[in-house]
Structures are given as structure tokens and as C-alpha cells.
Amino acid sequence: MVEKVITLENVPLAEFLGEANENIRQIAAAFPQSKIISRGNEIRIQGGAPEILRINDVLNLLLEHIDRFGHITPENVKDYLDVEGVPFEEANRDQVIVFGNKGLVIKPKSANQRKLVESAMQNDLVFALGPAGTGKTYIAVALAVRALKNREVKRIIITRPAVEAGENLGFLPGDLQEKLDPYLRPIYDALQDMVPPEKLKYYQETRVIEIAPLAYMRGRTLHDAFVLLDEAQNTTNEQIKMFLTRMGPNSRVIITGDQTQVDLPIRQKSGLTEALKILKDVKGIGVVQLSGKDVIRHRLVKSIIEAYEKDHYHKEQERNESAGRKNNS
């Protein structure tokens, strides 16, 4: 048994510890083999040496956080605890993609999300594939915001095909942009987490950040830009080819999509699926596959995805068996 005492100096104790010591209790729950006692301005940790080092790392990150932002929420604590399978000494500021609004720390929270970040660092074009809730679009937006903040690019362009998910855009009020805004809401929400409101408004007014339907990309050369194509499973072969050939000098592109949720008309092939086949041997293109294990929404979302995947697998088996019987007859 090893003991370590951390003295908190020049730290707002009530803010750091949380209401009813909630922040410290959350850390203690994450390390049940150790004992964490908070008294006055001292935190006493008892346990095995490896776990004490990890707890110390978490506390140091939280001290840096409160020094930077002036407050800590239980959600912030969870952000630092949720990096699965990575020692905390490796999951420090180097893992943070961007610091968002109100102290929000945006970082990969699963192995495949980390693969997406690493692939985006190594390739100018990355395909991020996976079901809803895996954070692929959110991480892509965070990478774009980081590139803009670091002046690696001069603008962010986010686009998606204007394809209806079982609804009719024609009956919605307003012009095309107003009709599309509800479909682009997840992207606006992500940006609002990461960019201060006034700055986001200024960026949009000056077109430093541009959000537009895919049709608006035709004929353009997208240079010095971080470009995100969302919902790419709903592109046609011609559309995705048009988009890919828009890449200009110093462009970085992430294409996200879920091949199990294609909203194109029946018999219309998904451009995303075709592009993955055609480009599979082209060097410099990254492909990252996320799965139900990466879902960071409500716990039921993961179970729902697994149930649908199981159903899809059984239906494929039945189709194959039926085709085999026809061939034999």
C-alpha cells in the first residue's frame, strides 16, 4: 500500500471538488482498488503504485483545466476518465483535439476514434465509416476546427447531399438553405460546442466557415480548406466523383457515411460504396471503420445497432441460401 498526498494551493476548492465532492467521488468510483480522501485543501490517495500514478495524472489534468477555464463539471471529469484502454500519462493534452466552449474538452473516446484522428494526421483524404452515434462527424468537425485555429487552413467547408431521409423537402417552408438547415443541425450543434458564438457568427458571415449542400460544390476548387462531406452514403457515383475532384492545394478532406442507412431511391447505387471500391488501392487515402463499440450516445443506441446488424446478417444468410437453392435446381 502506497500513500500520496496532494496539496491544493491557489485552487477554488468548492469548484475543483464539485458539489458534495462529486468530482472526487467520480474519480474514486473509476479506481475502486484505491482510496481517495479529501480533507480541506489536501487529497490523500492510498493504493497500488500504478493506480496512484494514474489518479495523480487525472488530478493534474483537472488542475490544468481549472487553471485554464476557472471551473470543472462532472462531465469534464468524465471526459478525462473516458479514454478507454489508454494509460492516462498518454491520454493528456496530446490527445485533446480542441478545447471547446465552457471548458468542454473534445478528445477521442474510443480506439477507433483515435484511429480516425491519427489517420487524419497522416492522410489528406480520409473515409470515416460507421453507424449513428459513433462520433465520426463530431470528431471530423473537431479536427477541422483545430486545423483552422492552428492556421493550417484558411477555411472550413462542410457539405452534404440534399437527400431526404423518408421525408419530402418540397413541403417544407423556405428556400433551399432553410429547408436544409434541419438536416445540417448536428453540424451546427458540433460547431457551437467548439467555437464561441460571436466568433462562429463572424466566421459564417465572412465564409471562413461555410455550410452548404453538395450541389453548391460543382465547378469550385477547394484550396487551403478543411472539407467535410457528411452523409456520403447518400451521394450518387457522379456526385462523389465531382466532390473528390474539387480538392485543391493544401486541402484536407474527411468523408463520413453509414453504408447501412442509404436513403437513395431503390436500385440507385451509393456513390460512397462505389468510391471505396474504386479507390481501395490509391495511396494517401485513409479508411477508418467505426462500429457499435464506438457509440457514445445513450447506452441503448449500441444495443439497437447490434440488433439491426444481427438482423441484417440473418437476412443476408437467407438470401444466399435461397440463391444457392435456385442455382442447384
Side-chain angles (χ1 to χ4, degrees):
M1 179 78 69
V2 179
E3 181 174 280
K4 181 176 177 63
V5 178
I6 297 173
T7 302
L8 304 174
E9 297 179 350
N10 302 318
V11 175
L13 292 178
E15 195 66 56
F16 184 80
L17 301 175
E19 186 176 348
N21 282 0
E22 170 62 24
N23 296 338
I24 297 302
R25 288 194 290 109
Q26 192 173 339
I27 296 170
F31 298 96
Q33 302 303 315
S34 297
K35 190 174 183 180
I36 304 176
I37 304 167
S38 172
R39 287 180 183 165
N41 69 336
E42 286 188 350
I43 297 177
R44 192 176 301 271
I45 313 167
Q46 299 172 345
E51 197 160 88
I52 282 183
L53 287 173
R54 295 183 68 196
I55 295 169
N56 186 65
D57 286 340
V58 175
L59 291 171
N60 282 334
L61 288 170
L62 291 173
L63 287 168
E64 288 181 19
H65 183 101
I66 201 163
D67 181 59
R68 185 182 181 100
F69 301 106
H71 67 277
I72 296 174
T73 67
E75 289 73 24
N76 297 146
V77 178
K78 186 175 183 298
D79 282 338
Y80 287 111
L81 291 171
D82 269 358
V83 183
E84 300 172 1
V86 176
F88 275 96
E89 57 270 22
E90 295 175 20
N92 57 16
R93 65 178 66 85
D94 293 334
Q95 285 286 327
V96 174
I97 302 172
V98 68
F99 289 99
N101 297 326
K102 299 179 181 178
L104 182 65
V105 178
I106 297 159
K107 61 169 67 179
K109 293 183 178 180
S110 70
N112 286 325
Q113 286 189 4
R114 286 195 296 276
K115 285 180 184 177
L116 174 53
V117 174
E118 290 163 5
S119 184
M121 295 298 101
Q122 297 165 3
N123 302 285
D124 288 337
L125 172 59
V126 177
F127 288 88
L129 313 172
T134 53
K136 56 189 183 296
T137 299
Y138 197 81
I139 293 293
V141 172
L143 288 166
V145 170
R146 180 170 75 175
L148 183 64
K149 284 186 174 182
N150 292 345
R151 299 185 179 180
E152 297 166 12
V153 297
K154 294 181 180 178
R155 54 188 175 150
I156 295 171
I157 299 171
I158 302 175
T159 185
R160 63 180 294 177
V163 174
E164 306 153 49
E167 299 179 40
N168 195 329
L169 286 176
F171 289 103
L172 294 175
D175 59 21
L176 178 59
Q177 188 64 50
E178 290 170 326
K179 292 173 191 286
L180 280 169
D181 274 352
Y183 295 89
L184 295 166
R185 193 71 254 167
I187 293 167
Y188 286 117
D189 290 344
L191 285 169
Q192 286 167 357
D193 280 350
M194 302 171 200
V195 183
E198 288 303 314
K199 185 168 281 189
L200 179 57
K201 182 181 178 183
Y202 170 76
Y203 281 159
Q204 288 185 270
E205 288 174 349
T206 57
R207 300 181 74 81
V208 171
I209 296 179
E210 179 184 352
I211 305 173
L214 182 58
Y216 288 14
M217 299 299 109
R218 191 173 299 278
R220 300 176 60 181
T221 300
L222 308 176
H223 56 82
D224 293 317
F226 199 114
V227 190
L228 167 60
L229 171 58
D230 194 34
E231 299 287 352
Q233 75 275 5
N234 289 328
T235 59
T236 64
N237 197 32
E238 293 76 16
Q239 285 175 325
I240 201 164
K241 179 183 176 183
M242 176 274 291
F243 172 79
L244 289 168
T245 54
R246 299 306 94 201
M247 287 181 69
N250 195 36
S251 285
R252 293 164 62 182
V253 176
I254 295 182
I255 296 174
T256 67
D258 178 2
Q259 292 169 282
T260 68
Q261 291 192 351
V262 177
D263 298 314
L264 292 168
I266 297 172
R267 298 188 185 86
Q268 174 75 66
K269 288 185 178 180
S270 167
L272 175 62
T273 302
E274 293 296 296
L276 289 167
K277 291 177 184 176
I278 293 168
L279 302 175
K280 67 182 186 332
D281 296 323
V282 176
K283 292 182 180 179
I285 297 176
V287 179
V288 179
Q289 181 70 59
L290 296 96
S291 70
K293 294 180 181 178
D294 301 293
V295 170
I296 55 174
R297 292 181 182 171
H298 192 285
R299 59 180 179 79
L300 281 176
V301 175
K302 189 179 293 188
S303 300
I304 290 166
I305 290 169
E306 289 172 355
Y308 271 93
E309 287 176 345
K310 187 176 179 180
D311 180 69
H312 177 74
Y313 173 75
H314 288 316
K315 285 178 178 176
E316 281 292 313
Q317 277 192 320
E318 289 173 3
R319 276 194 290 267
N320 292 336
E321 289 172 2
S322 175
R325 285 194 294 269
K326 286 180 180 178
N327 291 334
N328 291 334
S329 61

